[in-house]
Amino acid sequence: MVKLNSLSHSLVVGVLAKPLRYLKFIISLMVTTTSLFLYSCKNPSGNSDLPAFGKANFADTAISTIRYFKDDKGRQVLEKNNTYYDMVELHDSIGLKKILFKVTKSETDLIDSGTSESHFVVNTSSIGDTKPGWKREFSGSDIDYTTNKVLVVHSEARAQNEEDTYTQYSLMTGEKLMTYTYAPLSVFIVGDGRYLGYLSQQSATDKPNGFAEVSYVSRDMVIDKVNIKLKGADTTVPAYTPELKMRVVKDSGNTLSNEGRTVVMGGVRRGFTAKDINNFAMEINFTPAGSPTPVFILLPIRNDRLDLDNAAYDKAIFVLSKSK
């Protein structure tokens, strides 16, 4: 038998060891790849594998989808479903609240005609307390819940005699507050707010009870509504949304901002009562067809209500009444 010296022995062992190392590497790579594949199958949403300590208060997964097809009428359709999450901070009578939003948007585009329809499902969960959240479904062009601490659903005008229309909901409860055309007027109060909306006959969704409707709401509840009707068969007052702005009483401490569309009540603090909400008014300016002279309605707010007793308007043209 031929005996190998120490150098020859090392060379032989080294040569034989390399294939073994390669084989171990390939086996390790196959095991890792298989493990990742199995994990992704069990976790299609791609959830993080970060460790969670303590009891989980909320966990959820969602899948976004897209598909292109032809419907039973032969139209080309692109359908998209997307879910996203967001956190919103609000102040209520107790203090700061955090609400988790889950929004699922379903959008259907008819490619041939260029039209589209959107549908939203909103689920909320309170973070840090046991109060239940709420769930609502909305149809509209888009939604916003970050601007004024309320949820607003926007519906685009589809016909020539329609206006873009907005419906406002409470972020806390999901309850409907008001529907308005064009844009609302607002009142800034520390930790709260008030909103005035005008609903015209040319709304793309809800219609007013009469010629028009004015709503006065907070972030969470409907406070007051006024119906506007025309006296007789006057058709010169335009049906679209007129010019809207706010007025404040001089030396009241209230100021105007946002080009006269917002009242800032700097002297009102949390814990206010209805008697603290005064000294401002909503002004509605109409321009009748064929007339150079505008007509207006001035609706003052007194003790946090629309004050019809002290409202200023032409009673030969308009009839104002509180909505039931």
Side-chain angles (χ1 to χ4, degrees):
M1 181 179 293
V2 179
K3 293 184 178 180
L4 299 175
N5 58 31
S6 59
L7 177 60
S8 300
H9 181 269
S10 300
L11 289 173
V12 171
V13 172
V15 171
L16 293 175
K18 285 184 179 180
L20 291 175
R21 286 200 300 267
Y22 291 150
L23 182 60
K24 288 180 180 179
F25 172 75
I26 292 171
I27 293 173
S28 175
L29 180 62
M30 291 175 64
V31 171
T32 303
T33 305
T34 303
S35 300
L36 289 173
F37 173 76
L38 292 174
Y39 179 80
S40 64
C41 290
K42 290 189 292 182
N43 297 272
S45 62
N47 285 345
S48 171
D49 199 26
L50 293 175
F53 300 99
K55 182 181 178 182
N57 292 320
F58 180 86
D60 193 42
T61 59
I63 299 176
S64 297
T65 62
I66 185 170
R67 65 173 182 149
Y68 164 77
F69 61 95
K70 286 190 177 182
D71 64 9
D72 53 1
K73 297 180 181 179
R75 299 177 299 181
Q76 299 181 85
V77 180
L78 182 65
E79 186 180 78
K80 296 175 285 185
N81 294 280
N82 182 44
T83 299
Y84 56 93
Y85 300 85
D86 207 351
M87 185 79 76
V88 178
E89 292 186 348
L90 295 173
H91 284 276
D92 63 5
S93 57
I94 300 175
L96 181 67
K97 289 182 64 68
K98 294 183 178 182
I99 300 177
L100 181 65
F101 271 71
K102 175 185 177 182
V103 181
T104 300
K105 179 181 180 181
S106 301
E107 184 177 357
T108 303
D109 296 314
L110 300 178
I111 297 175
D112 300 323
S113 63
T115 60
S116 65
E117 294 181 357
S118 296
H119 184 77
F120 300 87
V121 179
V122 178
N123 284 271
T124 70
S125 302
S126 295
I127 303 299
D129 61 39
T130 58
K131 291 183 179 179
W134 53 267
K135 175 183 178 181
R136 288 200 69 146
E137 298 185 12
F138 309 99
S139 294
S141 306
D142 52 79
I143 65 173
D144 176 74
Y145 50 84
T146 60
T147 305
N148 290 315
K149 302 298 184 183
V150 289
L151 172 66
V152 177
V153 179
H154 171 213
S155 299
E156 291 182 343
R158 298 297 180 103
Q160 187 175 1
N161 62 342
E162 286 184 347
E163 294 183 278
D164 280 19
T165 307
Y166 305 82
T167 304
Q168 186 165 305
Y169 298 84
S170 165
L171 285 184
M172 296 287 284
T173 65
E175 293 298 318
K176 180 179 176 180
L177 300 175
M178 67 174 177
T179 300
Y180 57 88
T181 43
Y182 188 57
L185 304 176
S186 59
V187 183
F188 176 78
I189 307 169
V190 175
D192 206 335
R194 296 290 184 267
Y195 307 93
L196 289 137
Y198 180 97
L199 181 64
S200 78
Q201 288 183 330
Q202 296 187 350
S203 164
T205 57
D206 298 346
K207 301 297 182 182
N209 181 19
F211 176 72
E213 183 178 86
V214 172
S215 297
Y216 179 63
V217 305
S218 71
R219 289 178 179 172
D220 298 312
M221 62 181 293
V222 179
I223 299 175
D224 223 346
K225 284 189 178 183
V226 167
N227 289 325
I228 302 174
K229 296 182 179 181
L230 297 180
K231 202 166 188 178
D234 192 331
T235 58
T236 61
V237 179
Y240 56 80
T241 303
E243 178 193 24
L244 306 173
K245 56 185 176 181
M246 301 292 275
R247 296 289 189 185
V248 296
V249 175
K250 187 178 180 181
D251 299 326
S252 64
N254 297 336
T255 58
L256 293 173
S257 67
N258 191 24
E259 298 181 344
R261 302 188 62 82
T262 299
V263 173
V264 179
M265 302 193 74
V268 178
R269 295 290 182 262
R270 288 192 180 95
F272 65 85
T273 62
K275 66 179 182 180
D276 298 316
I277 311 300
N278 289 289
N279 299 320
F280 63 92
M282 177 186 193
E283 184 177 314
I284 308 169
N285 292 295
F286 301 91
T287 303
S291 173
T293 306
V295 294
F296 69 91
I297 297 174
L298 190 67
L299 279 173
I301 281 71
R302 181 181 176 84
N303 296 332
D304 210 15
R305 296 281 179 175
L306 295 172
D307 183 11
L308 282 188
D309 292 337
N310 292 291
Y313 59 96
D314 191 335
K315 293 179 174 59
I317 301 176
F318 301 107
V319 177
L320 273 59
S321 61
K322 287 290 183 82
S323 182
K324 301 297 184 181

